[in-house]
Amino acid sequence: MARPKLPASVTLDLSLDEEGDVPRMRRAVARKLRVDVESLPELVLLRRAIDARAGRVRFHVELGLGSARENQAAKRPPQEVRSPERVVIVGDGPAGLFCAYELARQGIRCTVLDRGKSVQPRRRDLKGLNQEGHVDGDSNYCFGEGGAGTYSDGKLYTRSDKRGDIRDVIDILALHGAPEAIRVDARPHIGSNKLPKVVSAMRASLEAVGVEFRFGARVDALLTRDEGRRRRLAALRLASGEEVAAEAFVIATGHSARDVFSMLDEAGARLEAKSFALGVRIEHPQPLINRIQYGAFAEHPKLKSASYRLAAHPSGQSVFSFCMCPGGWVVPASTEAGALVVNGMSLSKRNSPFANSGMVVAVEIETLARHGFKGPFAGIEVQRRIEEAAFAAGGGALRAPATRATDFVAKRASSQVSATSYIPGLQASDIAQVLDSAGPDFSTPLREALQEFGRRMRGYLSEEAMLIGVETRTSCPLRVPRDPQSLESSDIADLYPCGEGAGYAGGIVSAALDGMAVAKSIATRFAAQSAR
């Protein structure tokens, strides 16, 4: 007898005990499709998510019937690119690395320059940052191989597939050693202990086909020449004095390369201020978050450290959680001496006893203008003032100012702090004074939002919750305008602003997609030139 016609996939809600139990999953699929179990082909897990609401914790899964999803990345590997170099990419973060990968697929040779170090020596600088409070302006949590994402948890979330093929990015990462689970998890995560190896493996793949990577190669100037109504980028000058020429230059330096923004401005590229967000890291004991989210199931062996996502709009101002790190660590992400920035990360197992998340307030251009901050660098000036205030309030050596959430809501400083994952240590203080030190009132909407979050998640607003300051580098506070079709700078020919630092991405996946989009645009341009 012929098998009944079946759909390509089926979605199910499964109990904690059913998920992963193949016979029980097959019976559940058969019941839903009203067919015999024996008529089902092999089940392939396509997507998995945790649904934890109102004490009901289940797995929401999508199962393919009979055919595994093909690895598209393996079908399109990088090509040999021994031809003359044509493109220079500045920045070896996700945007720059995936731009180089896509260029190699197109058979175009490039060189990747990064001011920082490769993964292994970069680790030593991070140790000095955590244990000695020493900030190396070229090698830190933001600068170096893999960019800020390498040591910031490795979340692979993006809210829009309009930017490009998200599956392609995921497959490339899995092909280079990322856990296979990222192909199916609804909120995929690699972990800061595994992502460095993935990044290094991608570099090795590209070097094997002729792509060159140069670390410790900080760009000090963009050298342009006049060509009628428009300037053209002719070369880059490095800190060593060397000048590097190419046919196209991709600037993919991330949200914290403030000196690069100044270089772009000096070279004649138009810059535009844009909205961003700033606030604090809020840290809780992870078991507390597990109890809030999972209830009676908090200790179930199939459940990983619980996460959350929160948003509120007190008085019309947006406050939201950002880069939530279950089982994670708060780390110093400073890039300049005398200033303090914190961020979050977690390892692949997410087994730290703490949970942390950015808790940030949206910053609008109009708000800054009302307080005298105008022009494209307005947001950077506000960031810098608050970061310097945080450094002073912490007492130096990258100790972070911290306030209990209950004290913050009561509008008072804390006299004591709780245990923390933050290695340099905390200094009990009044974080509201730090947040409001630049002029705009950021503490009031944050205070009102925390009270609302406490009502939604009983126990979230408690003595155990610590506000650690400051989280200011959520995204780039400016944008470098570019042509929407060619992705080339609107003002300087041969210059391609790219990724998060140019204002066109907001995380690992979106930055990678933007890098690949720029590479495809350059390839199209080169093909058109060759056809003439």
Side-chain angles (χ1 to χ4, degrees):
M1 181 181 294
R3 279 183 174 180
K5 187 174 181 179
L6 300 174
S9 65
V10 63
T11 58
L12 294 174
D13 281 335
L14 301 173
S15 71
L16 298 184
D17 294 325
E18 285 178 311
E19 198 278 333
D21 186 328
V22 176
R24 294 179 72 175
M25 289 169 66
R26 289 180 65 83
R27 289 196 293 272
V29 171
R31 284 196 302 271
K32 182 164 186 175
L33 298 180
R34 297 181 179 180
V35 299
D36 294 332
V37 173
E38 293 75 15
S39 68
L40 291 177
E42 179 187 1
L43 302 183
V44 179
L45 181 61
L46 299 179
R47 188 175 182 274
R48 173 179 54 211
I50 289 284
D51 180 8
R53 289 177 292 181
R56 174 182 176 274
V57 182
R58 299 178 71 83
F59 283 98
H60 185 74
V61 299
E62 180 185 2
L63 299 168
L65 303 182
S67 60
R69 182 177 272 151
E70 295 180 341
N71 183 348
Q72 298 298 322
K75 288 186 173 184
R76 298 183 58 222
Q79 302 178 36
E80 287 284 336
V81 287
R82 305 296 178 183
S83 58
E85 172 189 277
R86 306 187 70 183
V87 181
V88 169
I89 299 170
V90 184
D92 188 28
L97 185 59
F98 276 81
C99 183
Y101 198 93
E102 184 61 35
L103 285 172
R105 281 173 160 179
Q106 304 282 347
I108 299 171
R109 186 181 176 195
C110 70
T111 293
V112 181
L113 307 176
D114 197 281
R115 70 195 301 160
K117 301 176 182 178
S118 58
V119 164
Q120 290 305 321
R122 188 181 176 193
R123 287 182 188 273
R124 293 192 288 271
D125 293 329
L126 297 184
K127 183 177 181 180
L129 191 67
N130 280 295
Q131 297 184 355
E132 302 167 14
H134 173 69
V135 179
D136 184 326
D138 289 328
S139 181
N140 44 62
Y141 276 102
C142 291
F143 302 147
E145 184 172 18
T150 302
Y151 294 103
S152 297
D153 195 72
K155 296 181 186 67
L156 305 178
Y157 314 157
T158 186
R159 296 183 181 182
S160 174
D161 58 5
K162 295 180 181 179
R163 297 174 182 268
D165 187 354
I166 296 171
R167 171 57 49 182
D168 195 19
V169 172
I170 298 294
D171 283 344
I172 290 170
L173 292 168
L175 187 66
H176 290 86
E180 283 295 312
I182 69 172
R183 298 185 192 271
V184 298
D185 286 344
R187 297 178 67 79
H189 158 258
I190 297 177
S192 296
N193 55 323
K194 293 187 176 182
L195 190 54
K197 296 177 182 177
V198 175
V199 169
S200 295
M202 284 188 66
R203 168 164 56 90
S205 291
L206 293 173
E207 287 177 327
V209 298
V211 177
E212 181 182 2
F213 288 79
R214 296 177 59 183
F215 297 101
R218 189 179 73 242
V219 174
D220 270 2
L222 309 181
L223 306 179
T224 63
R225 63 173 182 264
D226 284 319
E227 289 195 356
R229 296 182 179 179
R230 195 179 184 200
R231 300 186 67 79
R232 183 173 297 277
L233 183 54
L236 308 173
R237 186 171 64 234
L238 306 186
S240 63
E242 178 187 357
E243 294 185 5
V244 180
E247 295 178 58
F249 301 85
V250 179
I251 305 298
T253 49
H255 57 45
S256 291
R258 292 167 172 171
D259 55 343
V260 174
F261 304 146
S262 297
M263 290 178 217
L264 288 164
D265 185 50
E266 292 167 3
R270 186 162 35 99
L271 306 178
E272 298 175 344
K274 74 173 186 64
S275 60
F276 63 108
L278 61 80
V280 297
R281 278 270 143 188
I282 184 167
E283 185 172 60
H284 294 84
Q286 182 64 53
L288 171 63
I289 299 300
N290 290 348
R291 290 195 298 272
I292 293 173
Q293 296 295 79
Y294 296 148
F297 299 98
E299 303 299 324
H300 197 286
K302 282 195 176 182
L303 292 176
K304 298 179 181 179
S305 295
S307 63
Y308 60 82
R309 186 165 65 187
L310 294 166
H313 297 84
S315 303
Q317 193 159 358
S318 180
V319 180
F320 54 94
S321 59
F322 173 82
C323 186
M324 195 272 151
C325 298
W329 307 80
V330 181
V331 298
S334 300
T335 58
E336 300 173 354
L340 177 64
V341 184
V342 297
N343 197 1
M345 60 164 274
S346 59
L347 305 182
S348 58
K349 291 184 179 180
R350 288 182 160 171
N351 57 358
S352 159
F354 299 97
N356 73 77
S357 176
M359 189 59 66
V360 296
V361 181
V363 182
E364 303 299 335
I365 300 170
E366 296 77 14
T367 301
L368 300 184
R370 285 198 301 270
H371 290 81
F373 298 98
K374 298 179 180 179
F377 293 93
I380 290 177
E381 181 59 28
V382 169
Q383 286 178 329
R384 183 172 277 129
R385 289 196 190 185
I386 293 176
E387 291 163 11
E388 290 173 351
F391 182 86
L398 299 185
R399 289 179 62 85
T403 305
R404 293 183 188 275
T406 47
D407 288 332
F408 180 79
V409 167
K411 300 184 179 181
R412 61 179 179 244
S414 289
S415 58
Q416 292 181 323
V417 294
S418 301
T420 181
S421 65
Y422 185 70
I423 294 174
L426 305 180
Q427 176 63 47
S429 62
D430 185 354
I431 200 69
Q433 291 185 0
V434 175
L435 289 173
D436 299 338
S437 60
D441 179 5
F442 298 120
S443 63
T444 296
L446 179 58
R447 185 176 293 114
E448 293 174 358
L450 284 173
Q451 291 173 298
E452 181 174 334
F453 298 153
R455 291 189 290 270
R456 290 191 214 165
M457 296 175 62
R458 190 174 300 276
Y460 186 84
L461 180 57
S462 68
E463 289 286 316
E464 296 176 282
M466 294 297 305
L467 305 186
I468 301 172
V470 287
E471 170 92 38
T472 51
R473 309 286 181 90
T474 56
S475 64
C476 189
L478 57 77
R479 178 178 289 111
V480 188
R482 66 188 187 186
D483 182 89
Q485 277 73 49
S486 70
L487 308 186
E488 189 178 27
S489 165
S490 303
D491 307 292
I492 301 177
D494 296 339
L495 168 64
Y496 291 82
C498 181
E500 196 163 347
Y504 297 99
I508 291 174
V509 174
S510 59
L513 290 171
D514 197 58
M516 297 172 85
V518 167
K520 291 172 184 175
S521 178
I522 292 172
T524 299
R525 168 191 152 187
F526 286 173
Q529 290 173 344
S530 299
R532 289 173 190 164

